[in-house]
Structure formats: C-alpha cells, structure tokens
C-alpha cells in the first residue's frame, strides 16, 4: 500500500512540475489577455461579472451544491441503505467502520473508498452527474452476508 502512495505522489509531482514549467521551451512567453479582451462565461453560458479587482467572478448559481452523507458499514449492511441527491450535486460520502472490514463502491460513478475497519473512516467525493438509480456495495469480501451488503443512490 505504501509503494502505491509513493508512486501516486511521484506522478502528481511530475505532473505539477510539467504544469508549472511547461514543455521546456523557455523562449516562448504567453501573454495574458487584458480585461477588455476576456470573454469568459460561466457554466450554462452566463456572462461572468467583473469584480473591482478586475478578476471575473463566478455566479453562485454555477457552484455545485455539496451533500455530505455519513454511511455506517456494519456486518452485513450499510446504514443508510438509500441516498437521494439532485443531479449535479457534489456528493461527499464519509464511510464509518462499525463492524468488520469494508470498502464502499459505486461502480457507475467509478467511486471506491479506502478500506475501513471498526472505528476508522474514509471519504470519497464525486459529482452525481446523471439521473437514475445506482447500486452501491461493499467491494471487499466481508463474510457470509457480503452479497447482501448493497444500497441505492437515487439521483433525481
């Protein structure tokens, strides 16, 4: 597990260096556009409004709502078994281990938590960007009741 964390850290570090220092062509300098030349728009096509500092601001309506839900992982069920959110909501799941070892997963949103054991927590975040009913489950074989350890995410 520690080797995976180190590899991920190295990849992020390399990406950050590339992002900040470019591709090595130091003789090319990009010029930042001046305020009158900016034609930025927010999500949904709304015009951004200039602030007194000259920096465009995003209207509050375009910032996604965040819904935080604590899900308890027990042998062999989740509590709650159903989570309801509106489409476009940023969802933060805090998985709390109560009994046994479990991993929370929502395959349709590519969500998978870290393993939790009793007394531990793990957090996952994603945007519920499609409507429908989606199953969540334990992604770690946790014993005889494992196959029934499921729940529903309902995106309205």
């Amino acid at each position: 597990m520690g080797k995976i964390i180190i590899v991920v850290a190295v990849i992020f570090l390399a990406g950050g260096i590339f992002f900040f220092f470019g591709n090595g062509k130091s003789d090319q300098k990009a010029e930042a556009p001046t305020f009158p030349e900016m034609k930025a728009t927010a999500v949904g096509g709304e015009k951004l409004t200039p602030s007194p500092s000259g920096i465009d601001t995003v209207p509050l309506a375009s910032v996604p709502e965040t819904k935080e839900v604590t899900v308890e992982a027990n042998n062999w069920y989740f509590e709650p078994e159903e989570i309801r959110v509106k489409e476009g909501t940023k969802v933060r799941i805090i998985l709390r281990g109560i009994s046994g070892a479990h991993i929370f997963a929502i395959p349709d949103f590519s969500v998978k938590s870290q393993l939790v054991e009793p007394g531990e927590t793990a957090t996952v975040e994603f945007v519920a960007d499609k409507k429908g009913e989606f199953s969540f489950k334990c992604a770690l074989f946790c014993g005889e009741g494992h196959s029934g350890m499921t729940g529903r995410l309902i995106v309205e």
Side-chain angles (χ1 to χ4, degrees):
M1 181 70 178
K3 290 180 183 180
I4 292 172
I5 293 172
I6 292 171
V7 169
V8 170
V10 169
I11 290 170
F12 278 116
L13 180 62
I17 291 171
F18 182 78
F19 177 77
F20 286 109
F21 297 106
N23 60 4
K25 296 180 181 178
S26 60
D27 58 334
Q28 295 180 355
K29 294 186 180 184
E31 292 184 27
T34 60
F35 182 74
E37 296 170 345
M38 294 180 142
K39 296 178 182 167
T41 56
V43 175
E46 295 180 45
K47 287 290 277 180
L48 296 177
T49 55
S51 69
S53 67
I55 299 173
D56 290 334
T57 57
V58 178
L60 289 177
S62 66
V63 176
E65 174 188 349
T66 299
K67 180 167 184 171
E68 186 172 286
V69 179
T70 299
V71 175
E72 294 182 346
N74 296 276
N75 281 342
W76 286 275
Y77 65 95
F78 288 114
E79 180 64 39
E81 292 180 352
E82 182 178 286
I83 301 169
R84 286 183 179 268
V85 298
K86 293 181 181 176
E87 182 180 23
T89 300
K90 181 178 178 180
V91 181
R92 180 178 299 123
I93 304 286
I94 300 170
L95 181 65
R96 192 168 74 187
I98 303 298
S99 58
H102 306 284
I103 295 174
F104 179 88
I106 309 173
D108 291 310
F109 288 93
S110 300
V111 170
K112 189 173 182 183
S113 76
Q114 295 293 318
L115 177 130
V116 295
E117 295 193 42
E120 297 178 343
T121 61
T123 302
V124 293
E125 292 184 353
F126 64 98
V127 175
D129 58 359
K130 51 190 169 189
K131 289 184 179 184
E133 289 191 19
F134 308 94
S135 294
F136 58 83
K137 62 182 182 174
C138 179
L140 173 73
F141 181 75
C142 55
E144 64 186 46
H146 172 73
S147 62
M149 194 167 175
T150 62
R152 292 185 315 162
L153 169 68
I154 300 170
V155 182
E156 301 170 327

